[in-house]
């Protein structure tokens, strides 16, 4: 009997190890299977780590099986869950701070009873030099329904003299001179806008991206919540019917949008930042598409842990990203756990580097 148990455990461990490895590199094969493996990556990672402890307790000589899977999948693991010592905020080197934040249309996710809009108060308190907003109104006038006070609007206008609202809730706030380069709508829930910012003698192009949402209905979200709270095989047909097809279709749409944005910016030289609500994980094709263009992922260089940026409905994923390239370097990063929105914002400090020498 013990031998049979060992064989079953080896088969299961090998299977989950293969799923983990394929999920780690699923962006190289953005098919339906690849997309599903990407979505299941955190579950497969958890199972493989669990097998480490199973073999330690049951038969340590086979611990090499989960270890081998983890080593082979390390490229994906490091992108999904980087391990870096947090750097304290230090603005001594010349540069600028940038925040990306999906502000949930300035609604209060927690429904707090405050006299003024919590999200705007939070933005002002962070005092970032450049702010990329998604799902944001124009911030031109007070709005009693959202508790947006005239004093808050006045503070935004004084703090950020350069404001560029565009279609589909995209908004850009800047302390420095900025102009719109392009504004493109991809669908009812996705758009992209790019801005050229002059910071002293330097220029930086900021691309504010809001990619295709999953498009789940309230019924879908309640189903997912029930599944994660009480796992049951009775839900499998409903999952396949209501959730998986929507997840896969939305991922395919984001892949196309990533290609379109990449084509728009591939000729842009100098300092470029692509940030926003990607609605996609660090292992996705969309993120890899920009990595292939030489972009670096600020969170992967500075973050610690999975860095969840979406916290609603048990969809705990890092779907907001800040990618960059040029003569600058991300020095510190904060994931600000403030729950006035269903997203957490990311705040990064960039320091200028000397221009590359021409030989």
């Amino acid at each position: 009997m013990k031998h049979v148990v060992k064989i079953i455990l080896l088969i299961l461990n090998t299977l989950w190890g293969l799923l983990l490895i394929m999920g780690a590199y699923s962006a190289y094969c953005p098919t339906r299977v690849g997309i599903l493996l990407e979505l299941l990556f955190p579950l497969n990672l958890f199972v493989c780590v669990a097998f480490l402890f199973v073999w330690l307790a049951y038969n340590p000589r086979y611990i090499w099986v989960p270890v081998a899977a983890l080593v082979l999948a390390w490229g994906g693991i490091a992108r999904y869950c980087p391990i870096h010592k947090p750097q304290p905020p230090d603005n001594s080197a010349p540069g600028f701070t940038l925040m990306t934040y999906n502000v949930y249309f300035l609604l209060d996710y927690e429904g707090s009873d405050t006299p003024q809009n919590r999200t705007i108060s939070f933005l002002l308190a962070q005092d970032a030099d450049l702010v990329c907003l998604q799902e944001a109104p124009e911030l031109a006038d007070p709005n009693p329904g959202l508790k947006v006070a005239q004093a808050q609007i006045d503070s935004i206008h004084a703090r950020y003299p350069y404001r560029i609202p565009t279609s589909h809730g995209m908004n850009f706030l800047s302390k420095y001179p900025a102009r719109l380069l392009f504004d493109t709508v991809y669908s009812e829930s996705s758009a992209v806008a790019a801005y050229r910012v002059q910071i002293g003698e330097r220029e930086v192009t900021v691309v504010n991206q809001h990619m295709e949402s999953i498009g789940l209905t309230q019924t879908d979200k309640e189903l997912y919540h029930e599944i994660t709270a009480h796992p049951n095989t009775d839900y499998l047909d409903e999952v396949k019917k209501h959730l998986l097809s929507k997840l896969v279709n939305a991922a395919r749409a984001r892949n196309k949008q990533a290609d379109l944005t990449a084509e728009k910016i591939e000729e842009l030289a100098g300092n470029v930042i692509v940030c926003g609500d990607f609605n996609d994980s660090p292992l996705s094709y969309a993120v890899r598409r920009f990595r292939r263009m030489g972009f670096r992922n600020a969170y992967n260089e500075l973050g610690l842990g999975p860095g969840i940026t979406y916290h609603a409905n048990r969809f705990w994923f890092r779907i907001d990203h800040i990618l960059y390239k040029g003569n600058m370097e991300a020095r510190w990063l904060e994931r600000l756990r403030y729950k006035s929105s269903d997203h957490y914002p990311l705040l990064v400090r960039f320091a200028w580097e000397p221009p590359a020498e021409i030989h």
Side-chain angles (χ1 to χ4, degrees):
M1 183 64 183
K2 187 175 181 180
H3 180 71
V4 173
V5 171
K6 181 185 71 175
I7 296 299
I8 293 174
L9 287 175
L10 278 172
I11 292 173
L12 291 175
N13 194 174
T14 302
L15 173 62
W16 252 287
L18 290 173
L19 293 176
L20 178 71
I21 295 166
M22 290 188 290
Y25 305 103
S26 57
Y28 294 88
C29 183
T31 61
R32 180 183 178 87
V33 173
I35 292 168
L36 292 176
L37 288 172
E38 174 207 330
L39 294 171
L40 292 172
F41 183 81
L43 172 63
N44 293 334
L45 177 59
F46 174 81
V47 172
C48 281
V49 171
F51 267 112
L52 279 174
F53 296 97
V54 170
W55 288 122
L56 278 173
Y58 183 73
N59 195 332
R61 66 184 294 190
Y62 292 105
I63 198 172
W64 65 268
V65 180
V67 169
L70 293 169
V71 169
L72 292 173
W74 183 251
I77 296 171
R79 289 193 297 275
Y80 198 92
C81 189
I83 302 174
H84 298 286
K85 181 181 178 181
Q87 298 298 314
D90 179 4
N91 298 341
S92 58
F96 62 95
T97 51
L98 177 141
M99 174 187 285
T100 181
Y101 195 10
N102 182 318
V103 295
Y104 195 54
F105 302 104
L106 293 184
L107 298 168
D108 194 320
Y109 180 76
E110 293 183 315
S112 301
D113 185 18
T114 55
Q116 293 188 345
N117 187 277
R118 287 207 304 152
T119 299
I120 294 181
S121 296
F122 175 77
L123 288 174
L124 290 167
Q126 300 311 307
D127 195 31
D129 296 319
L130 310 177
V131 182
C132 288
L133 302 176
Q134 306 88 42
E135 296 187 4
E138 188 174 341
L139 298 178
D141 301 296
N143 186 324
L146 295 173
K147 299 181 181 179
V148 179
Q150 182 65 56
Q152 290 183 304
I153 294 296
D154 293 342
S155 295
I156 287 287
H157 289 190
R159 184 80 53 84
Y160 299 105
Y162 304 94
R163 302 176 301 280
I164 308 177
T166 52
S167 52
H168 279 58
M170 308 294 283
N171 206 339
F172 181 66
L173 309 176
S174 175
K175 295 181 180 180
Y176 300 100
R179 60 185 175 88
L180 180 68
L181 293 182
F182 64 80
D183 167 32
T184 303
V185 174
Y186 289 142
S187 72
E188 292 183 358
S189 65
S190 60
V192 62
Y195 326 93
R196 181 67 51 78
V197 186
Q198 187 73 41
I199 304 177
E201 297 181 353
R202 310 260 192 158
E203 280 190 342
V204 59
T205 301
V206 180
V207 181
N208 187 9
Q209 179 90 56
H210 188 195
M211 303 183 81
E212 193 78 17
S213 68
I214 298 173
L216 298 183
T217 65
Q218 187 59 37
T219 301
D220 296 331
K221 293 176 181 178
E222 290 173 358
L223 172 62
Y224 178 80
H225 191 280
E226 183 65 23
I227 292 168
T228 53
H230 306 97
N232 192 318
T233 55
D234 294 339
Y235 291 116
L236 289 179
D237 288 339
E238 290 189 70
V239 169
K240 184 176 180 180
K241 179 180 178 181
H242 293 285
L243 297 182
L244 292 184
S245 60
K246 289 186 177 181
L247 292 171
V248 171
N249 290 338
R252 286 172 172 166
R254 290 191 294 271
N255 293 348
K256 293 179 181 178
Q257 292 163 8
D259 286 335
L260 291 171
T261 298
E263 291 171 5
K264 286 178 175 292
I265 68 173
E266 63 183 350
E267 300 300 327
L268 294 176
N271 305 306
V272 184
I273 297 172
V274 178
C275 66
D277 178 5
F278 282 48
N279 274 309
D280 235 336
S281 83
L283 302 182
S284 65
Y285 172 86
V287 173
R288 178 177 175 266
R289 182 67 175 84
F290 296 106
R291 284 179 41 235
R292 283 166 46 196
M293 299 172 65
F295 283 90
R296 301 159 63 181
N297 191 317
Y299 189 88
N300 286 359
E301 294 180 340
L302 298 167
L304 175 64
I308 293 165
T309 61
Y310 184 81
H311 58 82
N313 303 305
R314 295 181 185 268
F315 285 95
W316 298 311
F317 296 104
R318 172 159 48 106
I319 60 175
D320 301 83
H321 305 280
I322 299 177
L323 312 174
Y324 72 98
K325 66 177 182 178
N327 296 318
M328 55 186 179
E329 183 178 30
R331 291 295 178 87
W332 55 262
L333 176 147
E334 290 185 329
R335 177 179 61 105
L336 302 163
R337 301 189 65 175
Y338 191 73
K339 288 189 175 181
S340 64
S341 169
D342 54 356
H343 287 247
Y344 294 133
L346 293 176
L347 178 65
V348 173
R349 174 71 182 187
F350 290 101
W352 299 119
E353 292 185 333
E357 295 184 5
I358 300 176
H359 298 283

